[in-house]
Amino acid sequence: MPGTPQRRIITVLAATTATLASFAIAPAAHAVDLREATSALAVGGRYQVMRINHTGDITAELAAATKSAASASQPRVVSLPAGTVKLTAQIRVANNVYLVADPGTTVVLSKSADQLLWFNAVNGGVYGGIWDADGKASSVIGTKASTVRVANVTVRNAKKNGIVGYARTQLTLADVTSTGNANDGVHVAEASRLTASNVRAVKNRRNGLQLSSGASGTITDSALDNNGLAVTGSTTGKVGHGLGVASARATVTNTSMSSNKVCGASLTGSVEITLARSTLSGNGRHGVGTTAGVKATISDSVVSNNRYNGVLASGSGTHVRLASVTISGTSRHGLSVPSKGSATLQGSTITTSGRSNISVSDKGTLSVDSENRLTDGKAEGITVTGQSRLTVSGTGNLVRANKASGLVVSGSGTSGRITKSVTFEANRKYGILVKTKGKLATVTNSFVKNKSATIYKQSGGKVTKI
């Protein structure tokens, strides 16, 4: 009843249903649970149901069912049957119309179109099924200035992006897989808003998920893995990331960004991002890569076995804060802070890097708070060069078992300041090396079983006591 929104009343449009039935080739099963589907699509109260009752080519029937708008108080649900169905043209979905496919439905586009499904300035959604552009549409699901929910859906094989959101679209994705697309699995731009949970954007030729041009996104419990399939040879300057964020904002939790050809997460331009309880492993370049202007907080996460740097904090205006992060097995530096970038380290472990565990260079700035472990690097624990600055202000820091010195401060204009004692233990060369006119001001530190001198000055290096 209209006055009792807690009840779901299904109204069948008899005249239109009869028209659709006249196209039927053979009866088809509709095993989808409409209550589950409409709940996932946030369709409550009264709604109409139209059923397409055959497989094969359903272009005319689906176009007719989605052409006219329904009312917000009584939206239309168009139900597709199980089996393989074919479309030969773009389906433009009108306002308050929702598509529901059986879990066993595969929808294949067989002729070229701009998009397989197009939502423009409407409310709508898609539930269930596999939607396959078969390389014939630029996107599988395209949205512009709309509010759209997509749930329990697989999209694949777009000529560009699997799912797109433009022009302030509000896009919600739940239990969605986007794969095999020539560009990005999900692409959201132009101040649009993405809410994504249990999304698998995997094995796309460019990025798994891209936020650009003032977009914002909340991403939880997702996998953005094995993307960048178009990338061959060197990864320098190439695009093939799990997550791309360009002049946009993101909050990411419980998400994997691993085994991508370039970066796990690539952050460029004016970016604000919080990344928590996530994994960025086995990527072809950086676990997290940045350019100038990025503000990033990474916490309670694992960054391992990336083939360049674990975390790169690069460029003027960039600041990356690491809290309770473990970085290990990086081919170069666990944390690299070059080109006027800055970083803060708290309660984190950086270990087994192929070069220095931390490199601060070219006017970079590193602040070290409490309880960090920098161990087993194949070169130094920390290297500070190129007029960069190091500040250690926290307690309980350990620099241990690195293959060269624990800390190196090198070069005119390069400086370090240690105001709380650090333990330098079992490093293969010096505990601390200050050279080539570098300067270090320090309290008394703890030196245990380092192979050479505790603090060594070389080529005009200067050390003062605090």
Side-chain angles (χ1 to χ4, degrees):
M1 302 287 293
T4 55
Q6 72 274 16
R7 295 181 60 192
R8 181 175 287 104
I9 299 176
I10 301 176
T11 302
V12 178
L13 297 185
T16 308
T17 303
T19 300
L20 296 181
S22 69
F23 288 96
I25 295 172
H30 289 257
V32 65
D33 185 335
L34 282 180
R35 290 174 299 179
E36 179 180 307
T38 53
S39 175
L41 295 174
V43 175
R46 298 177 65 134
Y47 58 87
Q48 310 159 357
V49 178
M50 289 182 169
R51 300 185 188 274
I52 296 175
N53 289 319
H54 70 90
T55 56
D57 186 350
I58 65 166
T59 308
E61 295 92 328
L62 188 57
T66 59
K67 184 177 181 179
S68 62
S71 67
S73 61
Q74 193 172 359
R76 184 180 311 131
V77 174
V78 181
S79 177
L80 279 63
T84 299
V85 298
K86 180 172 70 174
L87 295 175
T88 59
Q90 178 196 77
I91 300 299
R92 298 175 64 91
V93 184
N95 197 26
N96 299 313
V97 176
Y98 297 81
L99 306 182
V100 173
D102 183 271
T105 300
T106 299
V107 183
V108 181
L109 182 64
S110 63
K111 291 187 178 180
S112 294
D114 289 338
Q115 300 87 17
L116 196 160
L117 298 177
W118 179 236
F119 297 82
N120 187 1
V122 298
N123 295 331
V126 187
Y127 179 93
I130 298 170
W131 299 76
D132 189 344
D134 197 28
K136 295 178 175 64
S138 61
S139 59
V140 181
I141 299 175
T143 67
K144 179 181 178 182
S146 295
T147 298
V148 175
R149 290 177 175 267
V150 181
N152 288 348
V153 162
T154 294
V155 301
R156 64 192 188 193
N157 299 329
K159 287 196 296 185
K160 292 185 178 179
N161 306 309
I163 299 174
V164 297
Y166 295 124
R168 298 185 181 275
T169 283
Q170 303 291 311
L171 180 61
T172 300
L173 308 179
D175 300 298
V176 169
T177 296
S178 185
T179 187
N181 301 292
N183 286 355
D184 305 332
V186 179
H187 187 103
V188 179
E190 298 174 359
S192 296
R193 169 69 185 169
L194 171 69
T195 302
S197 61
N198 292 300
V199 168
R200 296 182 68 256
V202 299
K203 296 184 179 180
N204 297 287
R205 291 179 61 80
R206 195 168 71 173
N207 297 334
L209 193 155
Q210 177 72 38
L211 299 171
S212 300
S213 306
S216 61
T218 299
I219 302 156
T220 59
D221 302 313
S222 293
L224 312 178
D225 299 335
N226 292 291
N227 296 290
L229 299 186
V231 175
T232 59
S234 170
T235 58
T236 302
K238 294 184 179 178
V239 177
H241 317 301
L243 172 66
V245 185
S247 300
R249 294 179 290 114
T251 300
V252 184
T253 57
N254 292 328
T255 292
S256 172
M257 291 154 276
S258 299
S259 300
N260 298 288
K261 285 292 187 70
V262 189
C263 297
S266 175
L267 315 176
T268 59
S270 180
V271 168
E272 295 181 11
I273 185 169
T274 300
L275 194 157
R277 301 188 299 281
S278 294
T279 301
L280 305 99
S281 297
N283 297 292
R285 197 163 178 83
H286 312 302
V288 178
T290 64
T291 63
V294 171
K295 305 299 183 187
T297 298
I298 306 171
S299 62
D300 301 298
S301 294
V302 173
V303 183
S304 65
N305 300 314
N306 295 289
R307 296 183 183 91
Y308 214 85
N309 297 309
V311 174
L312 174 68
S314 178
S316 180
T318 287
H319 183 74
V320 177
R321 178 173 177 80
L322 304 177
S324 300
V325 175
T326 297
I327 305 175
S328 65
T330 306
S331 296
R332 293 198 177 188
H333 307 295
L335 171 63
S336 179
V337 191
S339 306
K340 300 182 181 180
S342 65
T344 300
L345 202 61
Q346 169 65 49
S348 294
T349 295
I350 304 178
T351 185
T352 59
S353 302
R355 299 185 182 179
S356 302
N357 276 317
I358 298 178
S359 171
V360 191
S361 62
D362 190 18
K363 300 182 180 180
T365 301
L366 174 66
S367 299
V368 180
D369 291 341
S370 300
E371 302 298 332
N372 299 288
R373 303 288 182 267
L374 311 176
T375 67
D376 295 291
K378 292 186 178 179
E380 291 78 23
I382 308 174
T383 302
V384 188
T385 62
Q387 301 180 42
S388 298
R389 293 182 291 115
L390 165 71
T391 301
V392 181
S393 58
T395 60
N397 291 299
L398 173 67
V399 183
R400 183 182 184 280
N402 297 285
K403 298 299 188 292
S405 299
L407 167 65
V408 173
V409 179
S410 176
S412 178
T414 301
S415 64
R417 183 175 180 84
I418 302 174
T419 59
K420 299 292 183 181
S421 179
V422 176
T423 298
F424 295 90
E425 180 179 340
N427 297 288
R428 293 287 182 87
K429 291 187 177 179
Y430 308 107
I432 298 175
L433 171 62
V434 183
K435 65 178 185 177
T436 322
K437 298 184 180 180
K439 296 181 180 179
L440 175 67
T442 182
V443 297
T444 300
N445 296 287
S446 174
F447 297 95
V448 181
K449 296 182 180 179
N450 298 285
K451 186 171 182 180
S452 299
T454 53
I455 300 179
Y456 188 72
K457 296 178 289 184
Q458 185 182 77
S459 304
K462 184 176 180 181
V463 178
T464 58
K465 293 289 186 181
I466 296 177

